[in-house]
Amino acid sequence: MKNGKYVGDSGNLEASIDRLLNEEKQMRLAENVSGTRKAATEILQLCFEAKDWKLLNEQILNLSKKRGQLKQAVQSMVQQAMQYIDQTPDIETRIELIKTLNNVSAGKIYVEIERARLTRKLAKIKEDQGQIAEAADLMQEVAVETFGAMAKTEKIAFILEQVRLCLDRQDYVRAQILSRKINPRVFDADTKKDKKKPKEGENIVEEAPADIPSLLELKRIYYELMIRYYSHNNEYLEICRSYKAIYDIPSVKETPEQWIPVLRKICWFLVLAPHDPMQSSLLNATLEDKNLSEIPDFKMLLKQVVTMEVIQWTSLWNKYKDEFEKEKSMVGGSLGDKAGEDLKLRIIEHNILVVSKYYSRITLKRLAELLCLSIEEAEKHLSEMVVSKALIAKIDRPSGIVCFQVSKDSNEILNSWAVNLEKLLDLVEKSCHQIHKETMVHKAALRP
């Protein structure tokens, strides 16, 4: 006998449940919330103590379908049964209990948070069994961004889990759609501020469970997932920005063991990123970082890229090849399968930009010599840069001459002439004014 109820024998168990069912019915019809809740949870407790999992599932379904069942009772039942999940004897029993609770909570807004947590548990089981596609499909059924009572950190953690499973099944399009549900600015919110008390009529936001990471930990997880996504398409600049966001996390900046590998990755991906205003801005901002002096080789690499001088590819590769290979054993892993080829391509593009700054016209042969390439390769890379609008150039193939000057149309020429004439007239007017002024001063001096 336990708490006045017989739980050892199946007959006593059935009798105890029948007695509690009658009690539950009386309380439910009387709309006694606390009494109904107490009777319902006691029934579940009896089944759990008897380790009769089949009966537990039956009673959960039975009680939830009672006519006029109170919301608070259903909520208490689901919350109580969720505590039993980790104590089930095997996986099959656990899955059956989770599915029963999912059926009970389906379409009920007052147990939507519990349903989301149950779905996550079921998805974890499926993932452990190697069924990643099924786990991803399960998680995508739940739109936690619409749950007003769920804690912000728990929402973010749930969406990040959805993104991770999509990446694991290589569904990059859906992963991007899900990742856009999280605004990166949410990670910069001040968590130290006092929480406002909810006004009357507003939803009370629940506290996040203890196993949910903090906002800054979620920030790191988010950007690590984004790095995985951007690596699929070799979007080097976006990968660099993600590493920069991780680098700015206070806990990372405090320990050199954490920030040095991240800063190395930032430098590499800055060099690998195609030249554009955003890349240039990030490059200059990184060069001003005092921590860069701790890794002088990378500071030298960035300075070479910023300086408008031709870089010799062979000497650069010989110097940095070991560092490049070393990245495989560091945080974030290798730089990518195509990183070596892309690095050479960026150096060629840098050299073409340098040549365009110093020359208005140059022969293809001389350009190829400066780039250490054949004439065909030099022409190919130059053409690709013109197509991508990285620079403006024209190639006279019969003459073998490249012209970097911008050809102006008739309107631009006329406008430049008009501007020049305006400047000339302004100068004439000022000169006339000065002459007139000098004449007046001279005449005043000659008068007695």
Side-chain angles (χ1 to χ4, degrees), residues 101-114:
L101 292 172
N102 263 337
N103 289 337
V104 169
S105 57
K108 297 181 176 70
I109 199 166
Y110 49 89
V111 282
E112 61 185 4
I113 295 175
E114 286 78 7

Side-chain angles (χ1 to χ4, degrees), residues 85-148:
I85 291 171
D86 293 331
Q87 299 176 54
T88 48
D90 50 51
I91 289 292
E92 287 73 21
T93 310
R94 186 172 300 178
I95 291 171
E96 195 60 39
L97 179 56
I98 291 171
K99 283 183 176 177
T100 302
L101 292 172
N102 263 337
N103 289 337
V104 169
S105 57
K108 297 181 176 70
I109 199 166
Y110 49 89
V111 282
E112 61 185 4
I113 295 175
E114 286 78 7
R115 180 173 169 76
R117 290 170 184 166
L118 287 164
T119 305
R120 192 171 178 182
K121 282 179 184 287
L122 187 58
K124 184 75 176 72
I125 293 168
K126 294 286 183 188
E127 188 187 0
D128 292 341
Q129 292 174 343
Q131 300 172 8
I132 293 170
E134 286 186 29
D137 290 337
L138 276 170
M139 290 290 282
Q140 283 161 37
E141 289 174 7
V142 186
V144 289
E145 64 274 11
T146 62
F147 295 0

